[in-house]
Amino acid sequence: MASASGSVGCNSDSRIENLICATKSLKFGLEKSKVVGLALEKAGPRLDEIRVRLPWLESAVRPIRAEKDALVAVGGHINRAVGPAAAVLKVFDAVHGLEKSLLSDPRIDLPGYLSVLKRLEEALRFLGDNCGLAIQWLDDIVEYLEDNSVADQVYLKNLKKELESLKESQNGDLDGGLLDAALDKLENEFRLLLTENSVPLPMSSNSLGDQPCIAPSPLPVSVVHKLQAILGRLRANDRLDKCVLIYVEVRSSNVRASLQALNLDYLEISVSEFNDVQSIEVYIAQWGKHLEFAVKHLFEAEYKLCNDVFERLGLDVWMGCFSKIAAQAGILAFLQFGKTVTESKKDPIKLLKLLDIFASLNKLRLDFNRLFGGDACVEIQNLTRELIKSVIDGAAEIFWELLVQVELQRQSPPPPDGNVPRLVSFITDYSNKLLGDDYKPILTQVLIIHRSWKRQSFQEKLLVNEILNILKAIELNLDTWIKAYDDPMLSNFFAMNNHWHLFKHLKGTKLGDLLGDSWLKEHEQYKDYYSTIFLRDSWGKLPGHLSREGLILFSGGRATARDLVKKRLKKFNEVFDEMYSKQSGWIMVERDLREKTCQLIVQAVVPVYRSYMQNYGPLVEQEASSNKYAKYTVQKLEEMILCLYRPKPARHSSLRSPRLSGKYGNGIPDLRRTTSAVV
């Protein structure tokens, strides 16, 4: 039992010890678990870092797994690709280095700016030639790496993406638009240089004399050189057309501004805006001077300047530029005005104006051929040829129809005031002008050209004979009109008037020399003849009414004498009043003839009247009704006679033709209709 008790005691102790040992073991295990947990907790981030680095490590290790030959060759491929790429990158860096200079104002240092721009152009040419090659080399090495599994796929994908981006930029702006920005600045500088140095010529319409002022050099030499330098760079970059447009715009505007002071609004007149050439006669006279000034000075200056600025670019460029300036500045308007004149209604005055236009164009013929003779000026050439043809055709037609028109006037009635018909005064002055030094050479040249177009020859005597025939027609007209008057006194007055007009206005003239002294003397004699008859049959009869017969005073005969004086003075007054009333409406335009005729009338009438009134006036002056008989004082009678035949204030000179139609009376013939059409 005791042994059994001892045995039980021993077993209990053993269990307790085991429990103690287990407790200690559990405590130690817990402590160790805590330590491991803390260690694991600290190892987590490191594991994440290792997990992130594993792909890179895998990529870095992969080439080791590649074939040996591929690993050996990859170095050479990379070196060959990196060399061109590095050169391209270096040039790209250089382009970006030019950006600041090229975005600055070219005016600060134009030569330096152009030099930098040229470097940019060279760099872009290098990039254009080599960028594609460098990309191709890089593309090849990527392909090699991919084919030989030398590089990671992700890495290769990124490389391909970058290469595609480079290829796209190669097809676009390699400089990011820097070149275009620089060229825009140069274009702006080109315009500013032109604008600042293009000053309209200061002048006025009154400053144009026979020798109009010459325009100064339009641009300084230094400015021309700058323009040429800018043009060189812009042309190299296909910007020449824009430069030409700028140049034409600025310079044509400058020429227009110079011409503006001349009041050229008349160039825009259309045919419908005026009735005949006379209404714009003053403009036609100005037109020739203005055209000469524009051609010889303004367009001449532009011609030379275009040559100076664009000479390095070739004839076609600068001539094309000049033609545009001339057209836009107004040469076409000048030519069109001349064409408008040719399209106006025909009349003799128009012939002189057409000859004026021809003379102006002929004077400028060499200038026109030189300035506007190039292919670029075809429009100007065509319009000029059309104008010249219209002028020559129109002038020749009017001249050859003039004789017929004068003959057509023969059936019209003579002027009721006995004056010189405007047809007669016009033709005499007109013919003298046509034969004068100013117009005869021009008319001869026009007729020569016109007949040559018809393959007909021309001799100077044709012109002279035609004018002589016109004068003969005028003489026949006068003979017809002299006979057409019902009043013989008015007929004689008219004949005296016109024969003197022909003598006076043709003596000492070219036409008078052609007609000869005998012809002139004949008309002078006719004047004297008709003057004598006129005075005899009109005023010469007036003194006969103041007869002294039966007026011997004696005792007892005073009353009888008074009655006779009253009767004769009354008759004298009646005849004088009637004749004065009738002839006060008659006109004698030639002052010398008028004064001489009036003096002859005074000499025929006034001395007789004075003597009669001195001797017999007292018989009636004392009566209450004396005013009925002593109606005029001697002084009043003389004043009245001396005031006869004075012309009314004329609206037009002898060379201005009125607008007439049909049977034109004694006006200037209207040539608006052909001979066959005149009623």
Side-chain angles (χ1 to χ4, degrees), residues 51 119 298 305 328 392 414 466 478 558 614 634 654:
R51 187 165 49 251
R119 287 165 56 193
L298 296 181
L305 183 59
Q328 294 184 21
I392 292 175
E466 187 69 13
L478 288 176
R558 188 176 185 86
Q614 287 175 349
V634 173
S654 60

Side-chain angles (χ1 to χ4, degrees), residues 19 28 42 53 140 143 162 194 281 299 328 416 428 495 512:
L19 287 172
F28 178 78
K42 292 180 180 179
R53 293 180 61 188
D140 290 344
E143 184 178 351
E162 293 298 328
L194 282 173
E281 190 172 353
F299 291 129
Q328 294 184 21
T428 53

Side-chain angles (χ1 to χ4, degrees), residues 5 109 222 229 236 262 279 300 331 418 421 423 505 550 554 565 588 636 661:
S5 318
D109 179 14
S222 60
L262 301 180
S279 61
E300 175 71 30
I331 187 65
L423 175 66
H505 286 269
F554 54 88
V565 170
M588 194 174 284
K636 178 63 175 178
S661 59

Side-chain angles (χ1 to χ4, degrees), residues 573-584:
N573 290 335
E574 289 175 353
V575 175
F576 177 84
D577 288 344
E578 179 185 358
M579 194 174 301
Y580 185 85
S581 176
K582 179 196 294 184
Q583 297 192 21
S584 62

Side-chain angles (χ1 to χ4, degrees), residues 499-509 520 589-593:
H499 283 294
W500 179 249
H501 178 85
L502 292 176
F503 170 79
K504 179 180 179 180
H505 286 269
L506 295 179
K507 183 179 181 181
T509 66
L520 294 170
V589 292
E590 305 297 342
R591 182 175 179 178
D592 52 353
L593 179 62

